[in-house]
Amino acid sequence: MAVILFVALLLLENSSSARSFSFTTSNNSSKVEMDGAGDRNFDLNYADIVEAQQDSGVLIIDVREDSEIQETGKLPGSIHIPMAEVSSILSNLNDQEFEKKYNRKKPAHNTKIILTCRSGRRSAMVQSEIQKLGYNNAYNYAGGWLDWEEKQKV
């Protein structure tokens, strides 16, 4: 069984979408859910981001690490919350603490949230995490900072 889980993890690592693996053992049947990316129906592109930056009702969260933000700056109109902290912050900060820290209202579960990172992979994983917390209007900027930077040069 450990070998099957290892193979599932390898497949996930080399995949850009969430996977579900099923296997049967001699005494029971099991299903392993592996989340690696958000729902593709919730992927956004550059034009979507440009539009969202004009909408104060949309919260854009840049989930890259501090060192990445220091190097490039964050996506315009976004707040910065490192990937490992997003779920905790959304779950544990009250409305006042969130607004004080990020200068934006804490999102309600129905607020449109767009997650972004360098290339869209980490933000897709965060998208999946926060959807499980009830933020069902969470989107992923699939191209991330690399796409943004490339399109800004044109």
Side-chain angles (χ1 to χ4, degrees):
M1 185 139 102
V3 172
I4 293 170
L5 290 175
F6 177 73
V7 171
L9 288 171
L10 284 176
L11 289 171
L12 175 64
E13 187 174 298
N14 293 317
S15 168
S16 62
S17 62
R19 299 277 187 205
S20 216
F21 298 96
S22 296
F23 59 90
T24 304
T25 62
S26 59
N27 56 2
N28 68 349
S29 178
S30 299
K31 185 172 184 179
V32 179
E33 296 287 337
M34 303 298 293
D35 289 325
D39 185 332
R40 293 288 174 220
N41 295 328
F42 287 88
D43 279 354
L44 301 180
N45 61 32
Y46 176 80
D48 298 319
I49 295 301
V50 170
E51 183 178 325
Q53 289 171 324
Q54 306 306 313
D55 185 344
S56 63
V58 175
L59 179 62
I60 303 171
I61 303 175
D62 193 322
V63 303
R64 292 178 293 152
E65 297 302 315
D66 292 334
S67 59
E68 294 173 279
I69 299 297
Q70 290 170 359
E71 184 180 319
T72 64
K74 61 185 174 61
L75 193 73
S78 70
I79 63 171
H80 172 238
I81 307 175
M83 176 185 182
E85 299 174 24
V86 176
S87 292
S88 175
I89 285 172
L90 291 177
S91 297
N92 298 321
L93 289 187
N94 66 36
D95 293 348
Q96 294 79 20
E97 292 168 329
F98 187 94
E99 191 164 359
K100 183 178 182 183
K101 185 168 185 167
Y102 298 105
N103 227 13
R104 292 286 310 264
K105 283 189 170 191
K106 182 178 178 182
H109 282 94
N110 65 347
T111 300
K112 183 174 184 177
I113 301 172
I114 300 173
L115 299 145
T116 184
C117 63
R118 181 178 176 270
S119 66
R121 183 155 173 89
R122 287 175 289 171
S123 52
M125 293 180 349
V126 175
Q127 173 197 18
S128 180
E129 283 181 35
I130 70 171
Q131 285 174 335
K132 291 174 186 170
L133 295 175
Y135 292 93
N136 296 319
N137 208 9
Y139 293 81
N140 178 41
Y141 178 18
W145 179 264
L146 294 176
D147 184 61
W148 172 262
E149 188 174 51
E150 179 183 316
K151 300 274 190 327
Q152 288 292 297
K153 291 179 182 176
V154 178

